[in-house]
Amino acid sequence: MKRRQFSSALAAAGIASFANPFNIVRAQAQKLKVGVLLPRSGFQSFIGQSCQKGADLAPGVIKEMLGVDIELMNADTETNVDTARTRAERLIQEGAQVLVGPFDSGAAAAIAQVAEQRGIPFVINIAAAPQITEQGYKFVFRNFQTAPDIVRNGLALIGDLFQATNTVPRTAVFMHVNDTFGQAMAKGIGAFMPRLTQLPFKIVDTISYDPAAKDLTVEVSKAKAASSDFLLLVCRLNDAILLRREMVKQRWNPMGVVSPGSPGMYEEQFFKSLGKLSEHCISNVPWYNPGSALTRTVEKAFLKQNPKDKLVFHGLNVGFTFEAILIAADAFKRARSTDPKTLADAIRQTNITDKMSLGGPIRFNDKGQVEGIGSACVQNLNLIPTVVLPQTSATAKPVFPVPGYKKA
């Protein structure tokens, strides 16, 4: 190339660079790589697989909403805290620019440590142990209620349930899983019950158990012996199925089974495994808003990908998993960068009003914790998880005590 040709080419390149000085950065930020960590195997596998349905539909819906390209990098935590930690490390090494998941509080705490050490944003979809967002982390964000929030809202809804059904139970036996989540919930119950003087009942016995247990004969026998009016239960899925079957086997028929806020009894597998025995169980939990525009959009995509399923059996898991990925994509669009600190700063400024979950806009406080998520009283009616309270969101009236209950 002659000197004059070389100079002309160099000048042209300079003009191109001046017109688009960030062309290299834009090339790097065309797609957001999201590492999704969920328990797709192990004793929480059904819930993890349910959450995965929300992750799988997210790229298509978000592309239509925001014009953002998302690449999912999926990893199975195997319902194991140590596996969750190593899989998080591997995803980061393989290029994940943000992490999402993992449903379980123990796994979330482990992943949060990895994310903070590596300086990679982590958006928690579902996990309630309060200490996760009390560590002063700069890269950890949670779009879910903490255990104290769940307990406070759940106990308030129990009071509303008794008022709506004109019942006054005096005693309850409290059973709970002994994992990180269950212990956090038990601590919350212990803290809030003495303050809520409007609740008419007292807890006469507390029984903890392993969520991976294969037999709950002794625990149910002890709970039955307490002769309480109803069962207050913090559970997971497999243990909830096992426990309900054991209650029937031992002919224990309290006024009802009520969760102040835990998974399990509204899950599709609970209904499939138990049939009519799943009826009338109550879960007071963060829930999705079936009337929101985003819910309708997500439901359309969900049915397209899962034609044999109904969103109502997966709504909580799908909704909060989808929202976690939406939070990351929204921040990425505003930040125009995958630089971890820039992305984390953008997540911190999140203000999403078009959402699936009940409650106010998605905004994070200075601890990375979302505030203002609402709860609903969800009762299993006609083999469908149905919102019965608050009345403004209800599609049916609550049933309590359960049919067939006879006071001893």
Side-chain angles (χ1 to χ4, degrees), residues 296-325:
R296 291 192 291 269
T297 298
V298 169
E299 184 168 27
K300 184 178 179 181
F302 177 86
L303 293 175
K304 185 177 180 180
Q305 290 194 12
N306 309 277
K308 296 183 179 180
D309 285 339
K310 294 181 179 180
L311 181 64
V312 69
F313 292 113
H314 304 274
L316 186 152
N317 300 324
V318 166
F320 282 101
T321 302
F322 174 84
E323 282 189 354
I325 298 174

Side-chain angles (χ1 to χ4, degrees), residues 163-273:
Q163 185 174 15
T165 55
N166 295 313
T167 53
V168 189
R170 296 299 183 185
T171 58
V173 59
F174 176 39
M175 299 186 71
H176 69 88
V177 288
N178 62 6
D179 59 7
T180 304
F181 166 70
Q183 291 173 9
M185 290 291 290
K187 186 176 181 180
I189 296 246
F192 283 108
M193 276 296 295
R195 305 181 201 174
L196 300 175
T197 55
Q198 70 273 25
L199 291 178
F201 69 92
K202 65 178 181 178
I203 295 174
V204 295
D205 198 2
T206 297
I207 303 166
S208 66
Y209 62 89
D210 186 345
K214 302 297 183 182
D215 188 321
L216 291 174
T217 302
V218 173
E219 289 82 359
V220 171
S221 178
K222 183 180 179 182
K224 180 184 178 182
S227 299
S228 61
D229 291 330
F230 75 101
L231 170 60
L232 187 67
L233 177 65
V234 171
C235 57
R236 296 291 193 177
L237 174 57
N238 290 359
D239 60 286
I241 295 170
L242 187 65
L243 187 148
R244 185 72 188 102
R245 283 175 173 158
E246 188 60 36
M247 288 177 66
V248 174
K249 182 179 178 181
Q250 296 193 26
R251 298 182 180 180
W252 180 29
N253 187 31
M255 294 177 74
V257 180
V258 183
S259 170
S262 63
M265 296 191 295
Y266 53 77
E267 305 286 350
E268 182 178 41
Q269 196 61 32
F270 190 77
F271 293 89
K272 285 184 175 181
S273 298

Side-chain angles (χ1 to χ4, degrees), residues 29-214:
Q30 288 179 347
K31 181 182 291 186
L32 181 65
K33 296 182 179 181
V34 180
V36 180
L37 295 132
L38 293 168
R40 299 202 307 272
S41 63
F43 66 85
Q44 295 192 50
S45 59
F46 286 113
I47 296 177
Q49 292 164 19
S50 177
C51 290
Q52 188 68 50
K53 294 178 187 291
D56 290 342
L57 63 81
V61 174
I62 291 172
K63 175 68 173 179
E64 290 291 324
M65 289 177 59
L66 304 178
V68 171
D69 286 318
I70 293 173
E71 177 185 337
L72 297 184
M73 302 172 65
N74 297 315
D76 180 9
T77 66
E78 302 177 2
T79 317
N80 183 285
V81 171
D82 291 333
T83 302
R85 181 181 291 105
T86 58
R87 296 286 159 83
E89 289 276 9
R90 183 185 300 174
L91 285 177
I92 294 171
Q93 291 171 1
E94 293 175 351
Q97 295 151 336
V98 60
L99 301 178
V100 162
F103 177 78
D104 176 76
S105 288
I111 296 168
Q113 292 175 354
V114 173
E116 194 70 16
Q117 290 167 0
R118 299 294 295 272
I120 295 294
F122 172 36
V123 184
I124 297 171
N125 65 336
I126 301 168
Q131 61 266 32
I132 297 170
T133 47
E134 294 293 330
Q135 307 296 316
Y137 291 148
K138 301 301 181 185
F139 290 89
V140 178
F141 306 88
R142 172 165 46 191
N143 183 44
F144 199 73
Q145 293 180 4
T146 65
D149 290 333
I150 293 175
V151 169
R152 181 172 54 248
N153 293 338
L155 291 177
L157 283 167
I158 289 176
D160 294 341
L161 171 68
F162 296 161
Q163 185 174 15
T165 55
N166 295 313
T167 53
V168 189
R170 296 299 183 185
T171 58
V173 59
F174 176 39
M175 299 186 71
H176 69 88
V177 288
N178 62 6
D179 59 7
T180 304
F181 166 70
Q183 291 173 9
M185 290 291 290
K187 186 176 181 180
I189 296 246
F192 283 108
M193 276 296 295
R195 305 181 201 174
L196 300 175
T197 55
Q198 70 273 25
L199 291 178
F201 69 92
K202 65 178 181 178
I203 295 174
V204 295
D205 198 2
T206 297
I207 303 166
S208 66
Y209 62 89
D210 186 345
K214 302 297 183 182

Side-chain angles (χ1 to χ4, degrees), residues 161 164-165 280 379 381 386-389 391 394-400:
L161 171 68
T165 55
H280 300 109
Q379 185 166 32
L381 298 175
T386 306
V387 175
V388 294
L389 290 169
Q391 291 183 358
T395 57
K397 293 183 178 180
V399 178
F400 192 88

